[in-house]
């Protein structure tokens, strides 16, 4: 089986966009691929984090992986910081990364914009992301549009290392699902739904209570007019809501348009809220069960052990080929 590696930052609550764009695909991939899914807590600290919040969110992300349907007996689930080889290979790859490559990263430019001082970790973390992927010789990496640049750097670093020191790393390919890859903000359909948004009304968190979900959707921005029509160019706001409806209900866009023809936005948004609630409530219940049972730490411990064993093999070969004395 081909190997898949992916992770999410525990820097905020996972959103409906995370579920539709990534978690649903993780669940499907575990049946056909050798999967490694992690909460990338080392990446989270490239910007300041409150320690208790970081700890809680790291556990929450891992628990939501399981609650969404990832089976720890089929996929390896772990925290990035529990596998020390990530940081070590991250440093080795940083020494192979050129300043110009990092300066071109649009995510760094966006996150650093308007700030008087920026931590060096925010600048160099694409090298750590490359280590995350290459440490397991992943064949496929699920990525959104905002991460394509980082995967391109990973491929460049793998090729650079292989040319300099001999074939060591697999050159990873992007895995971009055809549907559900990009859910936009509820208050601005030109922006991706983001868990780090300062506006709580712009996203639906996977753990939002039903009444909170209903309120957020009722307040979601819609286009002028009242026609429930999928037209991303001219009606981006309602088209985003239709996309969410389709993903939550498994109905086609054409069926949704036909169902609400002539009804306007009110009935559509009301039923959309119920579709989202129906999707998330079972996941929320499973999440609560996992957190209460105490099984999460055992899952993460076992996942870290499996990941560490695989990572150590790759790191050892890497260090030997670079000329380190490995005992």
């Amino acid at each position: 089986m081909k190997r898949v590696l992916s992770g999410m930052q525990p820097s905020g609550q996972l959103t409906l966009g995370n579920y539709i764009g990534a978690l649903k695909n993780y669940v499907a991939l575990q049946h056909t691929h050798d999967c490694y899914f992690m909460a990338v807590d080392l990446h989270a600290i490239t910007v300041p984090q409150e320690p208790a919040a970081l700890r809680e969110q790291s556990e929450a992300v891992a628990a939501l992986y399981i609650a969404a349907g990832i089976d720890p007996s089929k996929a390896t689930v772990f925290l990035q910081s529990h596998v020390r080889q990530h940081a070590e290979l991250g440093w080795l790859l940083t020494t192979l990364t050129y300043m110009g490559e990092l300066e071109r990263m649009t995510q760094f430019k966006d996150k650093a914009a308007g700030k008087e001082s920026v931590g060096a970790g925010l600048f160099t973390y694409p090298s750590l992301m490359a280590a995350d992927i290459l440490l397991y010789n992943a064949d496929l990496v699920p990525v959104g549009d905002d991460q394509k640049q980082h995967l391109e750097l990973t491929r460049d670093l793998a090729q650079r290392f292989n040319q300099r020191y001999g074939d060591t790393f697999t050159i990873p390919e992007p895995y971009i699902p055809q549907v559900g890859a990009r859910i936009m903000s509820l208050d601005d359909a030109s922006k991706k739904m983001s868990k780090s948004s300062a506006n709580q009304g712009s996203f639906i968190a996977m753990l939002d209570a039903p009444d909170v979900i209903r309120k957020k959707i009722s307040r979601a921005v819609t286009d002028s007019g009242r026609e429930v029509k999928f037209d991303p160019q001219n009606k981006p706001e309602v088209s985003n809501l239709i996309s969410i409806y389709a993903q939550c209900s498994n109905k086609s866009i054409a069926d949704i348009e036909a169902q609400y023809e002539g009804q306007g936005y009110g009935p559509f948004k009301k039923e959309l809220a119920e579709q989202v609630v129906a999707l998330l409530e079972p996941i929320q219940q499973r999440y609560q069960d996992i957190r209460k049972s105490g099984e999460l730490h055992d899952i993460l411990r076992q996942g870290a052990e499996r990941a560490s064993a695989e990572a150590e093999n790759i790191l050892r070969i890497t260090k030997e080929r670079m000329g380190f004395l490995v005992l």
Side-chain angles (χ1 to χ4, degrees):
M1 290 193 294
K2 287 192 173 183
R3 180 166 290 173
V4 171
L5 182 286
S6 193
M8 296 185 189
Q9 282 198 34
S11 54
Q13 301 179 70
L14 293 191
T15 71
L16 181 65
N18 294 130
Y19 177 75
I20 292 173
L23 272 176
K24 279 180 68 175
N25 293 307
Y26 290 2
V27 174
L29 285 166
Q30 69 181 333
H31 301 293
T32 54
H33 294 73
D34 178 20
C35 294
Y36 286 73
F37 299 128
M38 58 182 174
V40 288
D41 48 354
L42 294 178
H43 287 300
I45 63 169
T46 55
V47 295
Q49 300 289 336
E50 200 281 315
L54 176 62
R55 192 175 299 112
E56 167 59 26
Q57 282 302 125
S58 297
E59 291 195 30
V61 169
L64 281 169
Y65 281 177
I66 310 304
I70 294 174
D71 183 347
S73 69
K74 288 186 170 68
T76 303
V77 178
F78 61 103
L79 298 189
Q80 182 188 26
S81 63
H82 288 175
V83 181
R84 59 170 177 77
Q85 292 88 349
H86 284 264
E88 189 167 353
L89 184 60
W91 170 247
L92 299 181
L93 293 181
T94 298
T95 67
L96 269 69
T97 309
Y98 304 140
M99 290 280 289
E101 290 173 319
L102 296 175
E103 288 169 345
R104 285 194 293 272
M105 294 291 147
T106 55
Q107 271 215 336
F108 170 75
K109 294 177 183 177
D110 292 344
K111 291 183 178 181
K115 295 181 180 177
E116 291 185 8
S117 60
V118 178
L122 189 62
F123 183 66
T124 62
Y125 94 90
S127 301
L128 176 58
M129 182 179 289
D132 297 336
I133 298 165
L134 300 180
L135 201 50
Y136 302 96
N137 273 334
D139 299 289
L140 297 171
V141 182
V143 290
D145 291 339
D146 55 343
Q147 295 293 342
K148 284 181 182 178
Q149 211 180 15
H150 292 156
L151 184 59
E152 290 169 4
L153 175 63
T154 300
R155 289 169 54 85
D156 290 343
L157 290 175
Q159 291 167 340
R160 188 173 303 157
F161 187 97
N162 291 349
Q163 290 168 359
R164 190 175 300 182
Y165 297 110
D167 284 347
T168 304
F169 297 124
T170 298
I171 309 300
E173 297 288 341
Y175 172 83
I176 303 174
Q178 292 183 337
V179 294
R182 196 167 177 84
I183 297 299
M184 312 309 285
S185 170
L186 297 180
D187 66 342
D188 183 353
S190 68
K191 298 178 181 178
K192 184 178 177 181
M193 184 178 285
S194 172
K195 62 182 183 294
S196 60
S197 172
N199 179 10
Q200 295 286 311
S202 71
F203 62 86
I204 295 170
M206 289 184 68
L207 297 177
D208 274 346
D211 284 347
V212 173
I213 293 171
R214 294 183 182 105
K215 183 178 292 186
K216 286 183 177 181
I217 291 178
S218 72
R219 294 177 176 175
V221 174
T222 48
D223 307 279
S224 59
R226 59 191 302 273
E227 187 180 15
V228 180
K229 179 73 174 175
F230 189 80
D231 182 354
Q233 190 70 29
N234 298 307
K235 295 173 71 71
E237 310 291 353
V238 76
S239 296
N240 181 46
L241 297 181
I242 292 172
S243 294
I244 294 172
Y245 197 122
Q247 291 293 323
C248 293
S249 67
N250 292 321
K251 291 183 178 181
S252 70
I253 288 173
D255 285 344
I256 295 167
E257 289 177 326
Q259 181 177 344
Y260 294 99
E261 185 176 1
Q263 294 190 45
Y265 295 148
F268 165 70
K269 290 171 77 173
K270 186 174 181 179
E271 183 56 31
L272 169 59
E274 298 311 315
Q275 294 289 346
V276 175
V277 168
L279 174 73
L280 292 181
E281 273 194 319
I283 296 173
Q284 292 173 355
Q285 184 57 57
R286 173 68 176 137
Y287 170 85
Q288 296 299 337
D289 293 343
I290 292 166
R291 294 300 299 267
K292 289 174 183 175
S293 71
E295 63 181 306
L296 182 61
H297 287 190
D298 289 335
I299 291 170
L300 291 175
R301 190 176 296 109
Q302 293 163 9
E305 288 172 358
R306 290 200 300 270
S308 294
E310 181 68 26
E312 184 57 30
N313 290 333
I314 301 297
L315 181 63
R316 185 180 183 88
I317 292 169
T318 301
K319 292 173 72 174
E320 286 175 345
R321 291 184 176 173
M322 290 184 76
F324 289 97
L325 177 62
V326 180
L327 300 178

